[in-house]
Each structure stands twice: as structure tokens, then as C-alpha cells.
Amino acid sequence: MSPPTPLLCTLVLLALPFLLEAQGTPAASPAPAAGPDPVAILQGARQYSTLLQLLTTRNLVEEIGNLLKNNRDGLTIFAPTDNAFNNLPPGTLNLLSPDQQTQLLLLHVVGKYYSKDTLSTASNPVRTLATNYTLNFIGGNNQVNVSTGVVNIPVNNELYVKSPLAIFSIDSVLIPPALAGGKAPAPSPSAGGPTAPSTPAEGPTAPTPQPVSGSYRRRRVDWGVLLGAGVAFLGLLR
């Protein structure tokens, strides 16, 4: 074997620093995969515009997104379709205060990931993100229902189910007992409703009769007696 030539030795010495630097530089770690986006999932399904609008109006989109990132237990969302909201009695949402609307929406979110199989094994009542509202999951015959005590509907359509997020499409809005059976406020007096009796137009009015005092009546009697006596006296003179 022939010894290395001076040119080859020079090339090796020149390349050696670059080889050592390449070996010492750690490979860039891959960026963490982005988690599921509930809003993007609902937008892609194209039948949840009412739900998305309400979540945006009540400033819950960012709150739910942050909770999904920071909650180790994940989230389960029951998403009413547009038809579910359309089937509510007219004016139902308008009768609710902004806080009640927020609580109604948070009732549809559970702070834990459930697949359809594990819904039936949940310990009832199940806490939701709403302050005072809970849900019950009732299983049997390969079917799971979600119930508020007022609304009891099957959970069939799995819109997205992959830990840490599960979204189930439902055909009814989950109304809690505290918000069920509300009555519309009494209509204001306007066209189409009973109106108060109209006040008559102002104009000249007849004077109100005043009571006659006793002394005035006595004076009228005294003058009548005197007048009668005078007439009788004149008759005698004739």
C-alpha cells in the first residue's frame, strides 16, 4: 500500500474541522404535532354555524381551546346541529341572559375525554364546565343516551373521537331543568295586544255641581215667605 500523498493529507486536514462540527451539532428535534382544533372540526362539518356563533359571542372559543391544551384529562363536547337549535321553541335563547347562555353552552362540554364505549361506564352525575349543571350517561343494548333530566337523547354520531378530544354530534340542545319551561315576558302594549283605554281629548267640560249649603237654603226660604206675604197684602188693598 502506497503512503498518502501530501495533497491527500492536506485535504483531510482541511475537511477535519467541518467533520467534527457536524458530529457535535445535534439534529434539530421535530416540532410537536399540533393538537386537535374543535373550531376547525366543527367548521369542516358545516352544520354547526349556530353553535360556533354562540361560542364566539360568549367568548368561549379561546377558553375551550386553552382548556384542551392544559387539561390532562381531555375534553368531550356534545355539539348540537343547526337543526337542533332551530327545533327549540321560538325565542328560547333570547329569553336567557348572557350568563345563562354561557352556562347552557358549557353544559355541552365535559372536562374529560370519553369515547362512546366509556360513556356508559361514567359515574353519574357527570360534571360539566357549567357551574351548576350536570349530565347523566345511560347505557344499555349497545346504546348510550345523554340526559339532563329534561332532555334524553341518544349519542350516535361520532364527529371526532381521538384522545384528548371527543366531539359527538347530537340532534337536540341539552336544556337543564333550571332553564326549561321558561315563559315569555308579558307583551308590551302595542299593536296586536290589549291596549289601555284611551284618554278622551281635552275640551270644555260642564261645571261640576257644587253642594248647596244649609245657610243658603235658609235664605231662599226666608225670601220666599216675605214675597208671599207681600203678595197677600197687595191683594187686600185691592
Side-chain angles (χ1 to χ4, degrees):
M1 180 177 179
S2 60
T5 63
L7 178 59
L8 180 60
C9 293
T10 303
L11 293 175
V12 170
L13 291 176
L14 291 174
L16 184 60
F18 297 99
L19 294 174
L20 294 176
E21 182 179 357
Q23 291 181 353
T25 303
S29 58
D37 184 353
V39 171
I41 295 170
L42 293 172
Q43 287 176 338
R46 298 184 179 180
Q47 55 177 335
Y48 304 92
S49 58
T50 304
L51 175 61
L52 288 169
Q53 180 181 359
L54 288 171
L55 290 173
T56 302
T57 302
R58 300 272 64 87
N59 300 317
L60 294 177
V61 172
E62 184 176 356
E63 179 179 339
I64 291 176
N66 290 336
L67 187 60
L68 180 61
K69 293 178 182 178
N70 302 321
N71 185 17
R72 295 181 179 179
D73 293 330
L75 289 180
T76 299
I77 300 175
F78 297 93
T81 62
D82 290 336
N83 286 335
F85 282 102
N86 292 335
N87 289 334
L88 290 173
T92 297
L93 294 178
N94 293 333
L95 291 175
L96 302 180
S97 67
D99 182 65
Q100 287 175 326
Q101 289 185 7
T102 298
Q103 293 300 308
L104 175 65
L105 293 170
L106 293 179
L107 171 62
H108 292 73
V109 185
V110 177
K112 184 176 180 179
Y113 168 80
Y114 286 99
S115 66
K116 186 176 179 181
D117 293 334
T118 58
L119 282 176
S120 59
T121 63
S123 179
N124 292 321
V126 177
R127 295 182 61 183
T128 68
L129 298 190
T131 304
N132 297 317
Y133 304 149
T134 60
L135 295 173
N136 289 292
F137 300 132
I138 306 167
N141 298 325
N142 297 323
Q143 176 62 57
V144 180
N145 282 24
V146 57
S147 173
T148 66
V150 174
V151 178
N152 184 10
I153 55 173
V155 180
N156 291 323
N157 191 356
E158 298 178 350
L159 194 60
Y160 181 94
V161 180
K162 185 178 180 180
S163 183
L165 176 65
I167 302 179
F168 296 96
S169 177
I170 54 177
D171 296 327
S172 297
V173 179
L174 298 175
I175 302 292
L179 301 181
K183 296 181 179 180
S188 58
S190 58
T195 57
S198 58
T199 303
E202 294 183 1
T205 57
T208 304
Q210 299 294 328
V212 181
S213 64
S215 59
Y216 178 73
R217 285 196 297 267
R218 285 194 299 271
R219 287 195 298 270
R220 291 182 61 183
V221 172
D222 294 341
W223 280 106
V225 171
L226 292 176
L227 182 58
V231 172
F233 179 73
L234 289 175
L236 293 175
L237 292 177
R238 291 180 184 177

